[in-house]
Amino acid sequence: MAGLWEFPGGKIEPGERPEETLVRELAEELGIAVTPPCLAPLSFASHAYDDFHLLMPLFVCRRWSGHAEPREGQALKWVRPARLRDHPMPPADEPLVAHLMDLLM
């Protein structure tokens, strides 16, 4: 979904739990180290795209080590909760913004 702002994460590999996937993806995409106990489930999104159905969990990351930096050619930006809707996102990500705003505002 080039050009859209997305939450970090990715596809679950065989044998992985969602938390393990997010730990792996955060290291690959942002260069930060996270352990599963630092993740807390917040919500999930369910969205039917034309060619697949996406079920995406949303976790809150309470602690990490390292400095977030773009590792895959993407832009990186810290955004205040009230400004999240200013950034175009994939349809599956949009419903998660309300959960983050409730948590962070």
Side-chain angles (χ1 to χ4, degrees), residues 37-98:
C38 295
L39 299 171
L42 179 63
S43 185
F44 69 93
S46 177
H47 185 81
Y49 286 99
D50 290 339
D51 55 342
F52 69 98
H53 187 96
L54 175 69
L55 183 62
M56 178 175 57
L58 176 66
F59 290 90
V60 174
C61 181
R62 297 179 294 210
R63 190 172 299 150
W64 67 88
S65 62
H67 297 283
E69 59 185 27
R71 293 266 174 109
E72 296 181 338
Q74 76 277 33
L76 177 66
K77 184 177 184 179
W78 292 100
V79 179
R80 294 193 180 279
R83 304 307 305 250
L84 284 170
R85 293 193 196 284
D86 295 345
H87 297 76
M89 296 181 179
D93 288 28
E94 290 173 2
L96 299 174
V97 171

Side-chain angles (χ1 to χ4, degrees), residues 20-35:
E20 293 167 331
T21 299
L22 185 54
V23 166
R24 176 178 52 77
E25 290 284 340
L26 289 169
E28 290 172 5
E29 294 178 15
L30 301 176
I32 60 174
V34 176
T35 60

